[in-house]
Amino acid sequence: MSGVWDLTALINAADAKAPRVQRHLWLVRLMEWLRHAPAARPGDLPRAGTPLPALRLKHLLQVLDAQPALHAQVAGTLQAFWRDIDCAALLADFGFGSRLSLRSELAARLRQQIIPGTPDTQDLAALFPLLFEDDDARWIDGLEPTLLERLIALAAPAGIDWRANALHAITMLASALRAAGFAPLLRQRMDSGLLRDEPFRQLAISVDEFREHVAGQRHSEALVAANMLRSLLDRCVVAADSVGAHLEVHGVSVDVSYEVDQLRGRAQRIEHLVALVLAPQVGAEVHRLLLELLRVQRERRGVRALLASHYSLLARQVAERSAETGEHYIASSPRRVPRDAAARTRRRRGHRRHDVRQIRARGDRAVGVLGRLLRRRELRGDLRHRDAAALDGGHQTTRDDGAGNGSEPAAPGRGRQR
């Protein structure tokens, strides 16, 4: 493990002709070198100010700038990395479920916690958790703009087109968002008035126009197409948010609320990528997008956050439905229901009265059933006593008749005497 913290060994291990898995492991070790400090010596004071990963990153860039051969070696390795990796998968798929179900997302998070990731992959979304940790957002957020520009110049050598990958990811996200809007799970629950101009159908057309203007380097037309695309995204999100009114009337569904959250997240990701494509200097937009991806990764780490966010919505809507049930019983009273705090108090009291009535009704039914069982048992006992008394009375009558005639009952088995 001592070689992992040696910067000279790391730079010398960079090889553009190495297999893909070896290049990915080299990047993972480089991120570990930036993140972890060497063992503290006795008497060292705690470091304050600039985070250690930022200081180490600055030192790395200084070493590469001082030695052009090593700089070319590292840049060639990074160029081979971007050539063999699917960057659009990170921008379009990372943080979103592949199926329209909360159970599938829950199973994916459990599988991520149990089964470790592998560096032998072409999907940057699968490699991203191996490269970055949740605490990396702290020092990445505090990077200086000049240091960030130098890092982007090193990480994106000549021949890597960021805008092409971003445009491809926008198309993938728009397709997923359009499919979610047309799916019966959301379409049948949206407000029909918000779907008259068909914002989900126009979404694909708007994305194609935006891509054509960007590819043709028509900046003014691209700005107009971007504003149209943002307007369509806002209308799609408003239409998806109208599902909440349907849930309040017809019941709560965690799968529906989960899909609405997914649609809203995809719309927000498209806006980030549009800003990245239109930015003259991509440094600030890449920084913002990286922090957003780290935030999504932190939220996807645990299962508790997923269940808490959706079942808190379920509990809130159940409570609102219970309050409406209590309001129904208050409204049946001849008194006028006051507003504000007094109205909420009356609703809670009405809800409790409704619960007391239900409990009393259930108790009365239970007492009735128990009483019928006891009456049946008493009736059966009386019948048995009557039968036993009647049987005893018959035997007593037979004995009295035999004693009055002066004859003894014949012994069984004896024949007639001659």
Side-chain angles (χ1 to χ4, degrees):
M1 292 299 294
S2 61
V4 176
W5 316 122
D6 189 3
L7 178 58
T8 304
L10 279 175
I11 295 177
N12 292 330
D15 186 7
K17 298 181 180 180
R20 179 183 60 196
V21 63
Q22 295 297 331
R23 294 195 301 267
H24 293 175
L25 287 174
W26 178 82
L27 282 174
V28 171
R29 294 190 182 100
L30 181 62
M31 292 301 299
E32 290 179 354
W33 179 84
L34 290 174
R35 189 180 300 116
H36 297 287
R41 298 177 181 177
D44 289 347
L45 298 177
R47 185 183 300 272
T50 306
L52 181 63
L55 294 177
R56 288 197 154 197
L57 177 61
K58 185 180 297 185
H59 176 63
L60 171 64
L61 295 178
Q62 291 176 355
V63 171
L64 295 179
D65 292 340
Q67 302 181 15
L70 296 180
H71 187 280
Q73 182 179 351
V74 173
T77 304
L78 293 175
Q79 187 172 9
F81 167 76
W82 290 115
R83 185 179 60 248
D84 297 339
I85 202 71
D86 186 6
C87 182
L90 173 67
L91 302 177
D93 299 335
F94 188 73
F96 304 112
S98 58
R99 297 181 181 179
L100 307 181
S101 174
L102 179 63
R103 292 186 296 271
S104 62
E105 177 66 17
L106 181 62
R109 294 194 182 191
L110 290 175
R111 184 169 59 252
Q112 183 180 2
Q113 291 184 355
I114 297 174
I115 303 176
T118 173
D120 190 10
T121 178
Q122 293 181 348
D123 190 354
L124 186 55
L127 188 63
F128 189 83
L130 298 179
L131 296 174
F132 295 95
E133 295 182 357
D134 298 341
D135 296 336
D136 292 340
R138 299 179 180 177
W139 64 270
I140 292 177
D141 190 14
L143 289 178
E144 300 176 356
T146 56
L147 183 61
L148 187 63
E149 292 293 339
R150 294 172 60 189
L151 177 61
I152 293 176
L154 175 65
I160 304 299
D161 191 359
W162 285 79
R163 289 181 173 85
N165 292 324
L167 289 174
H168 186 37
I170 289 173
T171 304
M172 296 168 62
L173 288 167
S175 300
L177 196 149
R178 186 169 178 262
F182 284 150
L185 185 66
L186 297 184
R187 176 174 50 82
Q188 296 177 356
R189 295 172 173 84
M190 293 181 187
D191 188 0
S192 58
L194 299 175
L195 299 177
R196 291 177 182 174
D197 54 350
E198 298 180 342
F200 292 97
R201 185 186 63 82
Q202 299 180 22
L203 192 61
I205 302 174
S206 180
V207 170
D208 292 339
E209 292 179 355
F210 177 71
R211 294 194 60 172
E212 291 178 0
H213 294 315
V214 172
Q217 297 182 357
R218 297 184 291 271
H219 187 67
S220 58
E221 290 84 354
L223 290 177
V224 175
N227 293 331
M228 179 62 69
L229 179 58
R230 292 190 181 100
S231 177
L232 286 175
L233 290 174
D234 293 339
R235 285 150 59 186
C236 291
V237 171
V238 171
D241 290 338
S242 65
V243 173
H246 183 278
L247 296 180
E248 291 180 357
V249 176
H250 297 88
V252 185
S253 174
V254 291
D255 288 338
V256 174
S257 62
Y258 168 75
E259 185 57 28
V260 172
D261 293 340
Q262 294 280 294
L263 189 146
R264 191 182 297 110
R266 286 190 173 95
Q268 185 178 3
R269 184 72 61 81
I270 291 176
E271 292 182 357
H272 287 311
L273 294 177
V274 168
L276 175 62
V277 171
L278 296 177
Q281 299 294 332
V282 299
E285 297 300 330
V286 169
H287 189 208
R288 186 180 298 108
L289 182 60
L290 180 58
L291 292 176
E292 176 66 19
L293 294 175
L294 289 174
R295 183 191 63 82
V296 172
Q297 176 179 270
R298 184 174 62 254
E299 294 178 353
R300 285 176 56 89
R301 287 288 188 184
V303 179
R304 183 180 303 175
L306 176 67
L307 298 179
S309 61
H310 289 86
Y311 283 99
S312 62
L313 174 64
L314 177 63
R316 181 179 63 82
Q317 293 188 355
V318 167
E320 290 176 357
R321 295 288 296 171
S322 300
E324 292 177 1
T325 304
E327 185 180 2
H328 169 72
Y329 287 98
I330 295 173
S332 62
S333 175
R335 298 180 181 179
R336 183 177 180 180
V337 180
R339 297 179 179 179
D340 298 332
R344 291 193 294 270
T345 303
R346 292 289 183 86
R347 281 198 294 268
R348 288 193 294 267
R349 291 177 180 175
H351 184 53
R352 286 196 293 268
R353 287 199 297 269
H354 173 59
D355 293 340
V356 171
R357 291 177 184 177
Q358 288 185 347
I359 294 173
R360 289 178 178 175
R362 294 174 182 174
D364 293 339
R365 288 195 296 269
V367 170
V369 172
L370 184 59
R372 287 194 296 270
L373 292 176
L374 292 176
R375 285 195 295 271
R376 290 179 182 176
R377 185 173 295 178
E378 292 175 358
L379 181 60
R380 291 175 181 174
D382 293 339
L383 290 177
R384 282 199 290 273
H385 286 305
R386 292 178 183 177
D387 293 341
L391 184 60
D392 293 340
H395 288 302
Q396 185 65 31
T397 304
T398 303
R399 287 195 297 268
D400 294 342
D401 292 342
N405 295 332
S407 60
E408 295 180 359
R414 289 184 179 180
R416 181 179 298 178
Q417 294 180 358
R418 295 181 179 179

